[in-house]
Amino acid sequence: MRIKEEASRLLDSEYMVPAIFIILSYFAWQFSGLTGSFVFNQVVTRFIRDGILVLSLIIPVVAGMGLNFAITVGAMAIQTALLIVIGYQVEGIKGILLAIIIGVFLSLVLGYVIGRILNRVKGKEMITTIIIGFLFNSIYQLIFLVGFGTVIPVANKEIILTRGIGVRNTVDLGMYRNTIDKFGLFKIGELEIPLFMIIVVLLFAAIIFYILHTRFGQEVKAVGSDRQTSEILGINTNMIRIKVMILSTILAAFGQLAYLQNIGMFDVYTAHMNADIISCAALLAGGASIKKAKIRHALMGIFLFHTLFIVSPQAGQNLFNNAALGEYFRSFVAYGTIALALILNIKNENKFS
């Protein structure tokens, strides 16, 4: 009986999905021809780019709200803040700080709105956050395609299209690029370790860990475990859920800022569009589910998911002499991870129900 229970436990998504990624990553790396140092540098880069975005998904899962695909709203909030700062040509650390202030304010307001909406669709949060992401994306596109240069005056004409209305497709963030990354960059042979940014990501992880162990965190866990019982115990579940979405949206804004300043430029209309899928897939790759997520799932998932994401195109090129197959495999990995984790999650629920 004990052996059967142990085998059943190993089939759980917490163990199954990471194991699949480890195996696929190893074989893909062997066929890719890429050096270990190159893969390591690329994975570390993606760790500091996407780490905070993935961490922003944890608290909503703990609160029983599933995967928050509306983190794209937080990403759009910080992009809006950056475009405002660039429009008024505030450079360097001052520009970053001003963008953070504006982005956090927008994220707070938008997170509150999202929380209020989700309180009206309890039990259907995941599909609702997908729709919310599409809705706010449409509003975002309208503002920067039509609003900038008409109702919203812009001092910096370089970011405006030649017709005088709308922002260019691509905006250079050269004035902010690696503003944070350049601190604490160590090189050991061919390995590059941006120690400061790694510490920043781990600091956000520590903050989330601390929040989940405060009184508020215990209430979040209670709401996620049994909402009806929490209400009987006197917990304001609606307000807890709103606070959770505010926190998630603000964290997503910080995550997108880390991502953009590392790259040094962004596509105004598309930079945020895959943030939700990639982040959710990375979290699930680490062994999380739609009802259980821990910091270790996020940190491990980033390394596993992006390792396979990096080596698969070159492996496809070497195996089939067609790099396009590797690119298709990237999309398959992202959506397939989510599908596999959901299937295993539902299977486990049916098993223990």
Side-chain angles (χ1 to χ4, degrees):
M1 184 69 178
R2 184 181 180 85
I3 296 174
K4 186 176 180 181
E5 290 179 357
E6 191 68 20
S8 177
R9 184 175 66 87
L10 290 172
L11 290 174
D12 188 359
S13 60
E14 184 173 2
Y15 302 93
M16 177 70 80
V17 177
I20 291 172
F21 266 81
I22 291 172
I23 294 169
L24 288 176
S25 297
Y26 176 77
F27 283 106
W29 175 50
Q30 292 298 309
F31 288 108
S32 69
L34 300 174
T35 63
S37 59
F38 175 82
V39 174
F40 176 82
N41 288 334
Q42 291 297 310
V43 170
V44 169
T45 299
R46 282 160 175 75
F47 178 81
I48 64 176
R49 284 181 183 175
D50 300 330
I52 303 173
L53 278 168
V54 179
L55 289 168
S56 70
L57 296 167
I58 293 177
I59 299 180
V61 173
V62 175
M65 302 173 77
L67 299 172
N68 177 23
F69 289 94
I71 60 170
T72 52
V73 176
M76 285 183 275
I78 201 68
Q79 288 175 190
T80 300
L82 280 171
L83 287 170
I84 291 172
V85 170
I86 293 170
Y88 287 95
Q89 297 177 307
V90 184
E91 301 183 3
I93 294 294
K94 289 182 179 179
I96 291 288
L97 292 175
L98 182 58
I100 289 173
I101 293 170
I102 298 172
V104 167
F105 173 75
L106 290 174
S107 298
L108 191 152
V109 174
L110 295 173
Y112 176 82
V113 172
I114 295 170
R116 290 293 298 269
I117 294 172
L118 295 184
N119 280 339
R120 295 177 177 271
V121 291
K122 293 172 182 174
K124 303 179 180 66
E125 289 90 351
M126 284 177 59
I127 186 64
T128 304
T129 55
I130 294 174
I131 302 303
I132 288 173
F134 286 131
L135 172 62
F136 279 97
N137 180 56
S138 300
I139 297 171
Y140 172 87
Q141 305 275 352
L142 180 64
I143 290 172
F144 292 107
L145 277 172
V146 180
F148 261 46
T150 54
V151 295
I152 304 174
V154 182
N156 185 0
K157 301 301 180 182
E158 291 183 4
I159 66 171
I160 301 297
L161 294 169
T162 53
R163 62 177 179 168
I165 300 174
V167 180
R168 295 179 182 274
N169 290 334
T170 304
V171 172
D172 182 23
L173 295 178
M175 65 180 76
Y176 308 118
R177 183 175 186 180
N178 296 329
T179 303
I180 306 172
D181 295 2
K182 65 183 179 182
F183 296 112
L185 180 63
F186 290 93
K187 292 186 177 182
I188 305 175
E190 296 181 352
L191 304 181
E192 294 184 357
I193 304 174
L195 186 60
F196 179 76
M197 276 306 299
I198 291 175
I199 292 174
V200 168
V201 175
L202 295 179
L203 178 62
F204 274 93
I207 291 171
I208 293 172
F209 180 84
Y210 171 76
I211 290 173
L212 290 175
H213 286 79
T214 61
R215 180 178 176 180
F216 169 72
Q218 297 305 315
E219 291 176 339
V220 170
K221 292 177 182 177
V223 172
S225 178
D226 192 326
R227 193 170 62 247
Q228 286 74 25
T229 303
S230 299
E231 290 175 349
I232 293 172
L233 293 174
I235 298 175
N236 188 341
T237 58
N238 285 342
M239 185 53 65
I240 292 294
R241 286 160 59 92
I242 289 173
K243 289 179 180 179
V244 164
M245 294 312 299
I246 290 173
L247 276 172
S248 181
T249 308
I250 290 175
L251 285 170
F254 277 105
Q256 188 71 356
L257 177 63
Y259 173 82
L260 293 175
Q261 71 85 36
N262 179 264
I263 292 177
M265 62 184 301
F266 77 100
D267 296 322
V268 174
Y269 304 105
T270 61
H272 57 278
M273 294 186 71
N274 286 324
D276 54 345
I277 297 297
I278 298 298
S279 300
C280 289
L283 181 65
L284 294 173
S289 70
I290 59 174
K291 292 190 175 181
K292 180 182 178 182
K294 297 182 179 180
I295 291 170
R296 71 168 184 267
H297 295 146
L299 299 181
M300 183 170 65
I302 296 167
F303 280 99
L304 292 177
F305 179 80
H306 283 289
T307 298
L308 188 56
F309 217 62
I310 291 163
V311 299
S312 58
Q314 192 60 42
Q317 169 68 34
N318 293 340
L319 280 172
F320 306 104
N321 202 27
N322 187 347
L325 288 177
E327 292 297 332
Y328 292 138
F329 188 65
R330 278 184 168 183
S331 299
F332 169 78
V333 166
Y335 291 102
T337 302
I338 296 174
L340 176 62
L342 293 177
I343 291 169
L344 291 174
N345 189 71
I346 294 170
K347 182 179 178 181
N348 289 330
E349 278 188 5
N350 294 334
K351 184 188 300 181
F352 295 108
S353 60

